[in-house]
Amino acid sequence: MAVEKKKPRGVLFKNDKYEAYIRRNNVTHHLGRFKTLEEAAEARLEAEKKYGKSNVNHHARRETLKLQGFKINHLTVIEETGKSEKDGRIWLCKCDCGRTFEAVAWKIKAGRIKGCGNCEPTLITGPYGRKPHRPHECKVCGSYVKDEKQPFCCEECRKMWNNLKTYKSKVKTGRISQAAFERMMGRFDSYVKTKQEGK
């Protein structure tokens, strides 16, 4: 009987001999130890006739995760957009806040991603497992700040804050009078009021 040169499935080389086995219904049947690869392969083929041939693709056991249309936590899965070699299938999702973003399928299923990371709900992680952006307010006017690394909403607020700190340090050391500090505070308060009215 002609046998392929490459080692067939269900044959192992162990302790200078070839071992043949077959696994069906979660039960492993050992078929014996043989001196040659041809004998072990023939035993395996005979076992396949007895127990039946496996049609399972062991490289594709995990079925494709069907998520389209599902609402999970704060996001709704829209459609599959591609596949990453590292993380697997990527899906387009829509957060409750209206923002759309891409996320990896297994992280959606595992609850690692609960939303876009830029909206109000408290989230564990942002897209692709990144640390989420926590919305915060400007130190001066209280406006919403997009960039989590910036404490101010604009350059004007930054300048006003720095001027206020400078005046505070100067009035403590006696370099300026209390009246000058109060005038600065008046300008600061009027700027904040104007900024808040213009929201």
Side-chain angles (χ1 to χ4, degrees), residues 27 48-49 76 85 88 99 109 120 123 126 133 141 145 180:
V27 177
E48 285 182 357
K49 292 178 184 178
T76 304
E85 292 183 3
R99 182 172 176 262
K109 186 181 178 184
E120 290 295 337
L123 311 177
H133 166 58
C141 63
V145 181

Side-chain angles (χ1 to χ4, degrees), residues 6-11 21 44 48 54-59:
K6 66 178 183 180
K7 189 166 61 176
R9 179 181 293 177
V11 176
Y21 70 94
R44 165 72 187 201
E48 285 182 357
S54 174
N55 58 0
V56 177
N57 183 357
H58 295 278
H59 297 287

Side-chain angles (χ1 to χ4, degrees), residues 3-4 8 14 26 28 40-41 46 50 53 69 75 92 94 101-102 111 119 121 157 161 177 185 189-190 193 197 199:
V3 182
E4 293 181 4
K14 189 176 181 181
N26 295 325
T28 302
E46 290 296 327
K50 180 180 178 181
K53 207 167 186 178
L75 58 88
L92 180 67
K94 185 176 182 180
F101 63 96
E102 291 183 339
C119 54
C157 287
W161 182 263
S177 63
M185 284 298 300
D189 292 339
S190 62
K193 187 176 179 181
E197 289 175 354
K199 281 186 181 181

Side-chain angles (χ1 to χ4, degrees), residues 28-47:
T28 302
H29 304 277
H30 294 278
L31 309 175
R33 292 165 58 83
F34 306 90
K35 291 182 179 180
T36 63
L37 177 63
E38 287 77 8
E39 291 175 353
E42 190 171 352
R44 165 72 187 201
L45 291 174
E46 290 296 327

Side-chain angles (χ1 to χ4, degrees), residues 66-94:
K66 298 296 182 183
L67 294 171
Q68 189 168 0
F70 277 72
K71 180 170 176 59
I72 304 172
N73 297 311
H74 299 291
L75 58 88
T76 304
V77 184
I78 301 173
E79 61 181 356
E80 186 179 340
T81 58
K83 191 173 182 180
S84 168
E85 292 183 3
K86 182 181 178 182
D87 294 321
R89 299 184 182 277
I90 299 173
W91 290 80
L92 180 67
C93 304
K94 185 176 182 180

Side-chain angles (χ1 to χ4, degrees), residues 166-184:
T166 303
Y167 271 73
K168 278 184 178 179
S169 63
K170 284 183 177 181
V171 76
K172 283 182 181 179
T173 56
R175 294 166 63 188
I176 61 171
S177 63
Q178 185 67 31
F181 177 72
E182 289 176 359
R183 287 195 297 271
M184 173 59 197

